[in-house]
Amino acid sequence: EIVLTQSPATLSLSPGERATLSCRASQTVSSYLAWYQQKPGQAPRLLIYDASNRATGIPARFSGSGSGTDFTLTISDLEPEDFAVYYCQQRGNWPRTFGQGTKLEIK
Amino acid sequence: EVQLVESGGGLVQPGGSLRLSCAASGFTFSNYAMHWVRQAPGKGLEYVSAISSNGGTTYYANSVKGRFTISRDNSKNTLNLQMGSLRAEDMAVYYCARVGATNYFDYWGQGTLVTVSS
C-alpha cells in the first residue's frame, strides 16, 4: 500500500498570503495524484487532478505540481474561504490512499 | 444535477452488521465506477472499497477485506456496502463517491454516520 505523508500538519497563514502544502508518496505514483479541500461538515471537493490540472470551477489561485513521489499544492493570495483541510490522494496503485491531511488555519 | 444520497447508517453493536446504500441520480449511473470512503470523527479520509461500472471488479482496503462487500444495482441506480463483523474502528461517516472523467472523485454524497458501540 502506498503511504502518502502530508506536511505540515497545520499551516497558519493570513488572507492574502501564499500557502504551500506538500504530499510525499512512499513509492512513485507517476502523476496520478489529486488534491481535495474539505470544510467542516462538508464532503471533500476535488481541486487538482493528475498532479497539476485544475478541476472544473476551481479558481486559478490553486495550482499543483510534482511527479513521482513529491507533490505540492500552492494557493496564492489566500481568500477567507480557502481555510480548510486539504488531502492528497493517489490513484497510481490499489488500494487508493489518502494523505492524513493539512489543516490551513487563519493566523 | 448529480446527486448521491447515502442511507442506512446508525448504531450497531460490535460484531454486528449494517447495510449502507447510496442512491444516485442526475447521471448515467451504469457508466461510472463508484467508491466508498470513510472518515472517523475528527480524523482524515480513508478509502474503503471500489466497484467498476458493471460491477464485475471490486477492490477493498486491507482493513475491511473479508468483512465488507460492495455491490451495485444499475437498474436501480444504487450502490451498496454490506458491512459485517463491525469493530469500534469502523465507526465513521461513510461517503459514496463517483469516479469522474478525471479518474478521481468528482462527486460525493453527504455521508451517513455509522456508530459501533455496545
Side-chain angles (χ1 to χ4, degrees):
Chain A
E1 173 176 313
I2 294 177
V3 176
L4 298 178
T5 302
Q6 293 187 238
S7 61
T10 304
L11 186 57
S12 300
L13 294 171
S14 300
E17 292 192 297
R18 180 187 189 95
T20 303
L21 287 66
S22 174
C23 177
R24 176 164 289 178
S26 59
Q27 57 187 276
T28 183
V29 296
S30 186
S31 293
Y32 299 137
L33 189 108
W35 291 93
Y36 298 85
Q37 176 194 67
Q38 188 180 35
K39 297 180 179 180
Q42 296 183 16
R45 176 175 71 146
L46 179 65
L47 299 175
I48 301 289
Y49 66 94
D50 286 346
S52 61
N53 299 288
R54 273 190 303 278
T56 303
I58 301 303
R61 64 181 183 273
F62 291 90
S63 63
S65 63
S67 67
T69 61
D70 289 295
F71 300 87
T72 300
L73 173 69
T74 301
I75 314 171
S76 60
D77 196 15
L78 283 165
E79 297 284 347
E81 61 267 27
D82 298 336
F83 292 91
V85 180
Y86 292 83
Y87 295 94
C88 56
Q89 178 244 324
Q90 63 82 21
R91 69 171 185 94
N93 220 329
W94 289 97
R96 306 309 195 216
T97 48
F98 291 90
Q100 84 280 14
T102 289
K103 181 179 181 180
L104 178 57
E105 65 177 24
I106 298 178
K107 187 174 183 180
Chain B
E1 178 193 5
V2 171
Q3 283 200 317
L4 298 170
V5 180
E6 301 95 338
S7 61
L11 174 63
V12 61
Q13 293 188 338
S17 299
L18 208 58
R19 183 178 178 87
L20 305 184
S21 293
C22 171
S25 61
F27 65 102
T28 304
F29 181 69
S30 59
N31 286 351
Y32 292 85
M34 298 293 295
H35 290 229
W36 288 98
V37 176
R38 68 185 180 184
Q39 187 168 35
K43 302 298 183 182
L45 301 170
E46 181 187 12
Y47 161 81
V48 174
S49 184
I51 189 166
S52 61
S53 57
N54 66 4
T57 303
T58 58
Y59 295 95
Y60 298 93
N62 291 335
S63 58
V64 307
K65 200 174 294 183
R67 300 188 299 121
F68 290 13
T69 302
I70 191 171
S71 64
R72 64 190 296 160
D73 185 338
N74 285 345
S75 69
K76 296 182 178 178
N77 293 342
T78 301
L79 173 72
N80 302 300
L81 186 68
Q82 180 68 45
M83 304 187 295
S85 303
L86 283 162
R87 308 165 179 167
E89 55 264 35
D90 296 318
M91 185 161 64
V93 172
Y94 284 73
Y95 295 100
C96 63
R98 187 184 86 166
V99 178
T102 62
N103 292 304
Y104 295 92
F105 307 128
D106 62 350
Y107 284 94
W108 298 65
Q110 85 289 350
T112 187
L113 176 63
V114 172
T115 302
V116 183
S117 175
S118 54

